[in-house]
Amino acid sequence: MAHWTVEIPIRTPGEQPRTGVQWFTYPASDFPVRGDVVEQVREDVGTEAAVRHRAGAAADVGAIRVVWHDALL
């Protein structure tokens, strides 16, 4: 199944630039255009579940990396 993976660098307050990444995956059938994925991930990164998953670390939404995959998950 074709899909997008989105990598967002995260930073724990008080630590140097980047301390990790948070990944999101979206099916191409729901998000056929890259711009739609970027818009959706900007919404999703601020959800309570996403913030909890990264243990409160700050997400750098200005450094989003979006990759298209034709392969199976």
Side-chain angles (χ1 to χ4, degrees):
M1 173 175 88
H3 64 281
W4 300 94
T5 57
V6 182
E7 173 186 328
I8 302 174
I10 60 172
R11 182 174 16 122
T12 302
E15 294 187 15
Q16 285 304 313
R18 294 180 181 166
T19 56
V21 295
Q22 186 170 21
W23 292 91
F24 292 82
T25 303
Y26 298 93
S29 58
D30 293 343
F31 300 93
V33 180
R34 183 185 184 280
D36 294 340
V37 173
V38 172
E39 184 177 317
Q40 184 63 47
V41 80
R42 286 177 187 270
E43 291 178 24
D44 291 347
V45 76
T47 65
E48 183 179 323
V51 172
R52 185 176 53 250
H53 180 74
R54 63 178 182 268
D60 183 359
V61 295
I64 291 173
R65 181 174 173 246
V66 180
V67 179
W68 169 262
H69 299 275
D70 277 329
L72 297 173
L73 285 177

